[in-house]
Amino acid sequence: MPNQILIAIALHVLVLLFGVSGCGSVVDRPLAPGRNLILVTIDTLRPDHLSFTGYARETSPFLDRFAANAVVFTQAIAQETETGPSLGSMFTSLYPNELGLIDNGNVLTSEAETLAERLQREGYHTISVTASPNAGVRTGLDQGFDEMIEIWRELPDGVSDPRAEYVTARTMRVLESVAGEDEKFFLYVHYIDPHTPYTPPEPFGSMFAVVPGKEKPYLLGDGQPFWGAAHYLTNHVGQISPDVRLADRSDVSYYVSQYDGEIRYVDEYLGRFLAALDEGSLGDQAVIVVTSDHGESLGEHDTYFAHGTNVYDTEARIPLLIQVPSPDVQPRRVDQQVSGVDLLPTILDLLGLQPQTSARGRSLVPMILGRTLPEELSFTETGPLDNHAYKHSIRFQGQKLILNEDGVDDYSLKPTGDRLQDEPWGVLNSQKRYELYDLLADPEESRNLFRVGPNRHAALLQTLLGLAEPGRIATGEKRTIEAPFDSKTEQLLRSLGYIR
């Protein structure tokens, strides 16, 4: 590996392990001082299924228009592939294992200051409108919000699905309430679509033709996992799980058409929300960010209609679009790699606020202005296994190195000597399994190069092992959700496949 790559990795390790933050901006003056902030996250949204990125289907006409006037980051990477940990990382610019967030069953540590808490201290009125329990009180993501509106608690009688139309309607009522206020506001909105089950209402459900494709067998019996692994991983690898099954369909292309229909549906109602901002002139007074918590496996790596199962780009890559009300900012596409932990430093920089010294990310304002910054590593993980994440990856200069602590990669769960115990249906062994991909030549991550030229990735491996080691950089206490679910929350979590 060239010396310059080794030096870059060494410098980045200082940031990751010792909190030496590079989050300050080189810009002489803030671009949007004292402006309002609107942050929208769309659950489970893959950037490569949006039409403005070149996708063949017209899934996102309204987001396309927004993108035409925004700075679009094409290589944004989430730090976790589940909602709670990913958003917690974005809100704090810390890694999930530092926050005690290993999966959606954990609660954000109260020791970490969130974006909402920081803006609250700066005099902002903070409001959250969320359609997912994993982005609400249940996971501690209500920290710092003056108002926490959990949509499923306000649905009309007989309605249990907090779809985009209800989120937009409630959000527009919030806009009406803050429009006449002199107080600055931070509005956070989380849409649950296009999360499974993929059931977009008409006309969106039949908007995209089904292309005949491969079929997969159903998971038979009671849906218990294979090979003794975590059920969410194995229930979605090699088969279509009962959690996401749609009627009697087993053709993958049908599910993808419905996923795309879900995107088109949420885009419709996001478009109505953005139009309301423009009509009321609030859009000209606010920094607007649109992103996602994670992507989705749609059959890649033999993983079907799930997330939180791996750290491949299908689940780790997210869209990131930022509109800034400043004549100094022009619409542009940024192809440099960035991370979810960069969001908080960027927002503080845009608003003219001092950076948080604990931030693992950095301000992207120079990139927003068209400048190039040195590339930094992006670290992603998912879990849990024995109370810590079991899959980790680092992405750097077109390479991605993955550590599977469960001894299994996601191509197959068939027992082989180096991954599983010899007996059929045996439990997973403790052997670690590595994968290395050249993302420029192999964006599908299909050719594992780890055994080719071991010296070429020695520095990446050393860095990844340091980050993945339990307790190495963790400071947050892992807290498990203990409070019983109310009936509406339990019903929603069951419909989303999180509980059985």
Side-chain angles (χ1 to χ4, degrees):
M1 182 175 288
N3 288 336
Q4 58 265 35
I5 296 182
L6 293 173
I7 294 170
I9 290 175
L11 291 173
H12 190 77
V13 170
L14 290 175
V15 175
L16 294 176
L17 299 183
F18 302 104
V20 181
S21 176
C23 59
S25 172
V26 299
V27 180
D28 295 332
R29 56 186 174 80
L31 296 175
R35 297 285 187 154
N36 299 320
L37 171 64
I38 298 171
L39 170 59
V40 178
T41 52
I42 303 172
D43 209 302
T44 322
L45 183 61
R46 280 176 55 158
D48 61 341
H49 277 247
L50 299 171
S51 42
F52 70 84
T53 68
Y55 190 53
R57 289 170 168 167
E58 191 181 6
T59 55
S60 54
F62 292 101
L63 199 51
D64 295 353
R65 296 175 203 168
F66 181 83
N69 295 293
V71 178
V72 179
F73 293 88
T74 65
Q75 298 294 320
I77 307 298
Q79 272 51 77
E80 236 274 12
T81 59
E82 293 184 273
T83 301
S86 176
L87 294 179
S89 189
M90 285 185 188
F91 287 176
T92 62
S93 193
L94 295 171
Y95 289 113
N97 59 1
E98 296 180 283
L99 299 169
L101 285 173
I102 305 302
D103 66 10
N104 284 324
N106 302 142
V107 183
L108 176 68
T109 175
S110 58
E111 298 174 4
E113 184 175 62
T114 66
L115 174 62
E117 287 175 307
R118 175 62 189 278
L119 294 182
Q120 194 178 52
R121 285 200 295 112
E122 301 288 348
Y124 280 74
H125 181 194
T126 56
I127 312 143
S128 173
V129 181
T130 176
S132 172
N134 296 326
V137 175
R138 176 176 178 268
T139 50
L141 294 179
D142 58 327
Q143 286 182 207
F145 285 106
D146 298 316
E147 299 179 55
M148 190 74 193
I149 301 166
E150 297 183 316
I151 291 295
W152 64 95
R153 302 183 186 280
E154 301 184 358
L155 294 174
D157 292 340
V159 177
S160 59
D161 188 353
R163 288 190 176 278
E165 58 198 86
Y166 299 107
V167 176
T168 290
R170 187 64 176 91
T171 302
M172 290 173 74
R173 285 163 50 195
V174 170
L175 289 179
E176 292 174 2
S177 69
V178 300
E181 296 181 359
D182 294 330
E183 189 178 23
K184 298 172 293 187
F185 69 84
F186 164 37
L187 173 60
Y188 171 61
V189 184
H190 183 82
Y191 289 92
I192 192 64
D193 316 270
H195 195 289
T196 53
Y198 309 146
T199 53
E202 293 298 341
F204 308 101
S206 56
M207 188 168 286
F208 303 112
V210 177
V211 178
K214 58 184 177 179
E215 297 189 355
K216 297 300 297 184
Y218 290 138
L219 178 63
L220 303 177
D222 60 2
Q224 292 303 305
F226 294 148
W227 312 119
H231 92 274
Y232 195 62
L233 169 65
T234 53
N235 273 359
H236 294 271
V237 176
Q239 62 258 315
I240 299 173
S241 168
D243 296 343
V244 301
R245 188 182 304 170
L246 298 175
D248 60 346
R249 303 301 293 253
S250 61
D251 48 328
V252 171
S253 60
Y254 175 74
Y255 287 81
V256 174
S257 75
Q258 296 306 288
Y259 174 79
D260 289 342
E262 289 268 7
I263 295 175
R264 180 63 184 83
Y265 165 68
V266 71
D267 180 78
E268 176 75 25
Y269 284 93
L270 175 63
R272 298 186 188 190
F273 168 49
L274 295 175
L277 287 176
D278 291 338
E279 291 171 4
S281 74
L282 284 176
D284 296 332
Q285 305 169 25
V287 172
I288 306 175
V289 181
V290 179
T291 186
S292 182
D293 47 0
H294 51 73
E296 183 84 325
S297 288
L298 297 173
E300 301 87 357
H301 302 282
D302 209 24
T303 305
Y304 295 88
F305 322 125
H307 48 268
T309 66
N310 61 58
V311 289
Y312 297 117
D313 274 10
T314 49
E315 295 193 21
R317 248 186 89 215
I318 54 175
L320 176 59
L321 302 86
I322 303 178
Q323 274 192 10
V324 183
S326 168
D328 296 326
V329 178
Q330 301 301 315
R332 60 173 40 90
R333 170 180 165 137
V334 178
D335 294 326
Q336 277 193 268
Q337 177 174 289
V338 300
S339 298
V341 289
D342 296 328
L343 187 59
L344 181 144
T346 301
I347 288 172
L348 295 182
D349 196 1
L350 287 170
L351 300 179
L353 303 175
Q354 289 297 310
Q356 294 191 189
T357 56
S358 62
R360 298 297 182 186
R362 60 177 174 176
S363 172
L364 303 179
V365 166
M367 293 184 187
I368 289 173
L369 291 171
R371 304 177 191 177
T372 300
L373 293 178
E375 182 174 330
E376 293 198 345
L377 293 172
S378 187
F379 175 57
T380 302
E381 56 188 348
T382 195
L385 179 74
D386 296 330
N387 294 321
H388 67 279
Y390 58 75
K391 291 182 182 291
H392 323 261
S393 73
I394 50 175
R395 215 175 177 270
F396 186 67
Q397 295 196 349
Q399 296 184 87
K400 180 189 249 181
L401 180 64
I402 297 174
L403 162 61
N404 300 293
E405 290 198 60
D406 54 3
V408 175
D409 66 17
D410 286 307
Y411 295 110
S412 171
L413 289 176
K414 297 176 182 178
T416 59
D418 67 336
R419 287 182 297 176
L420 300 172
Q421 293 182 355
D422 292 334
E423 66 272 15
W425 308 96
V427 296
L428 297 172
N429 67 23
S430 60
Q431 181 172 340
K432 296 177 179 179
R433 183 172 175 84
Y434 300 95
E435 300 169 65
L436 177 71
Y437 298 102
D438 180 345
L439 297 175
L440 301 179
D442 178 26
E444 291 81 19
E445 299 169 86
S446 61
R447 296 187 296 277
N448 186 355
L449 303 176
F450 185 76
R451 299 185 186 277
V452 180
N455 291 333
R456 63 182 292 202
H457 49 259
L460 281 174
L461 178 59
Q462 183 178 6
T463 303
L464 178 57
L465 289 174
L467 291 172
E469 182 180 344
R472 180 66 179 271
I473 61 174
T475 58
E477 178 185 356
K478 179 176 177 289
R479 295 188 295 153
T480 302
I481 296 169
E482 299 178 352
F485 300 128
D486 61 88
S487 59
K488 288 187 175 181
T489 301
E490 180 177 355
Q491 182 181 14
L492 178 56
L493 288 170
R494 195 174 298 280
S495 72
L496 295 173
Y498 288 109
I499 59 176
R500 293 176 175 272

